[in-house]
Amino acid sequence: MSVPTTGPGRRSRPRPTWAELPDSVRDGVERALGARVVSAQSAPLGLTPGLASRIELDDGRRAFLKAAGVHRGADTVAKLRREAQVMDALPPGALAPRLLGVYDDGRWAAVACTDVGGRPPASPWTRPELDRVLAALSACVVATTPSPLPGPRFVADWADDLTSWRRLARDPSAPAALRAVLPADLDWVPRDLDRLARLEAGWSVRADGDTLLHGDLRADNILLTDEQVWFVDWPSACVGAPWLDLLFLLPGAAVTPGAVDPEDVVRTHPLTRDVAPETITATVAAIAGFLLTVSLEPPPWYAPEVRLFQRAEAAAALRWLARRR
């Protein structure tokens, strides 16, 4: 939905354009919208390989369109289908764009929603903009509790991803691999894998809940206008404890030292201030392990810079964790 100018998508490879879609797909999209597309402005950067364009229709409406074919990856098409399902169920208070139309022929899928405009938060984050986003997130939680969808459940969906320290602790090559990529102030991490593994294991104890979470909340999935905060790109939505999106957002906000103090946020924000400290610590440990592990994987062809940004987020989470310990 957004056009990242900073962060993980800034050097991503160009997306396909409206003109490059098959004629049958363009016709199907126009039928779904009940109007003809008269102009399309491609969002050239991003973390998915499909089309993402702002379109203008001949009835005067503007929309944001995402589309992909299975040749770009079956997972990309599945995510579009899931996003359409989520957006169709979201209440207005979720501060998400409104679903306008869906096209799906089995090999191609497209989702169109209202074009809300706006820009991602500044990089580095500023505390005033973060406070705007956090206030909006509180309102979103109220609107999506109880969840309008039954699942998937966050605890089940993330059960494997949030076991990274336990896997690293069993891998004899892990300490050397981590020493090669971590900055000097985090030299304690390769020596502390067993302790991190034990700490991480507690993340799921209180992570269940009945809130529909965004599931992938980061700067390039947030748009700011003068009047409104919008949360976009919902294919990862899942059901869990209401404070989880906030914890996943904070490492990215704290990438630049001194820009945002995540500890101050969790201590004062209504979504986290009453959560048990050991639960926060275990979840921050699990998030740090996930970010660090995924940053070591080969980058996807459509977003070659994303691993460096994930590593920076992991470092921010580990510095936060060191303070909490």
Side-chain angles (χ1 to χ4, degrees):
M1 170 67 73
S2 59
V3 186
T5 56
T6 59
R10 64 188 185 278
R11 291 188 184 177
S12 303
R13 295 187 183 181
R15 300 177 185 268
T17 66
W18 169 254
E20 292 171 330
L21 296 184
D23 291 346
S24 60
V25 176
R26 295 201 302 271
D27 291 343
V29 168
E30 291 178 335
R31 285 195 302 273
L33 292 172
R36 189 170 62 85
V37 175
V38 295
S39 69
Q41 180 186 7
S42 180
L45 304 178
L47 295 184
T48 56
L51 173 140
S53 291
R54 287 186 167 90
I55 59 174
E56 184 177 354
L57 303 172
D58 64 1
D59 61 6
R61 289 180 296 159
R62 300 185 65 86
F64 197 93
L65 177 70
K66 295 194 287 187
V70 293
H71 67 288
R72 290 267 174 169
D75 185 56
T76 301
V77 174
K79 285 182 177 180
L80 286 175
R81 291 170 178 150
R82 170 61 179 170
E83 183 167 19
Q85 179 189 29
V86 173
M87 292 183 68
D88 192 43
L90 285 173
L95 304 179
R98 181 168 56 88
L99 183 67
L100 297 178
V102 178
Y103 171 78
D104 191 342
D105 65 11
R107 295 189 59 80
W108 279 86
V111 177
C113 63
T114 51
D115 182 11
V116 298
R119 60 168 178 81
S123 180
W125 279 79
T126 66
R127 186 56 194 260
E129 286 195 349
L130 181 63
D131 286 342
R132 283 188 66 194
V133 171
L134 296 181
L137 182 58
S138 293
C140 183
V141 164
V142 171
T144 59
T145 306
S147 172
L149 292 171
R153 310 296 300 185
F154 183 93
V155 172
D157 225 27
W158 284 83
D160 184 60
D161 287 329
L162 297 183
T163 60
S164 297
W165 294 121
R166 281 165 278 185
R167 292 197 300 272
L168 289 169
R170 296 191 299 268
D171 182 356
S173 66
L178 296 180
R179 281 193 294 269
V181 299
L182 288 172
D185 66 305
L186 297 176
D187 62 355
W188 55 272
V189 172
R191 302 192 300 268
D192 220 5
L193 295 181
D194 288 335
R195 185 177 178 186
L196 288 165
R198 291 192 297 271
L199 188 61
E200 166 194 74
W203 77 264
S204 63
V205 174
R206 293 181 175 85
D208 204 7
D210 62 349
T211 297
L212 184 65
L213 303 163
H214 182 281
D216 192 21
L217 199 60
R218 57 177 194 263
D220 56 304
N221 285 337
I222 299 169
L223 292 175
L224 307 179
T225 67
D226 290 342
E227 302 82 19
Q228 187 66 279
V229 175
W230 295 98
F231 300 117
V232 302
D233 293 344
W234 285 80
S236 300
C238 50
V239 182
W243 42 268
L244 283 163
D245 273 339
L246 175 52
L247 290 195
F248 274 77
L249 174 67
L250 287 176
V255 161
T256 302
V260 170
D261 180 0
E263 194 60 29
D264 179 58
V265 173
V266 299
R267 186 175 61 251
T268 59
H269 195 274
L271 288 177
T272 49
R273 65 190 176 200
D274 296 325
V275 179
E278 61 270 21
T279 297
I280 299 288
T281 302
T283 307
V284 173
I287 292 169
F290 164 71
L291 289 168
L292 184 57
T293 300
V294 76
S295 79
L296 299 175
E297 297 176 358
W301 62 267
Y302 50 84
E305 294 294 304
V306 67
R307 299 308 184 210
L308 294 178
F309 188 76
Q310 289 166 333
R311 196 166 303 161
E313 287 185 306
L318 286 165
R319 293 184 181 108
W320 179 18
L321 180 63
R323 291 173 58 194
R324 291 192 64 86
R325 292 168 63 212

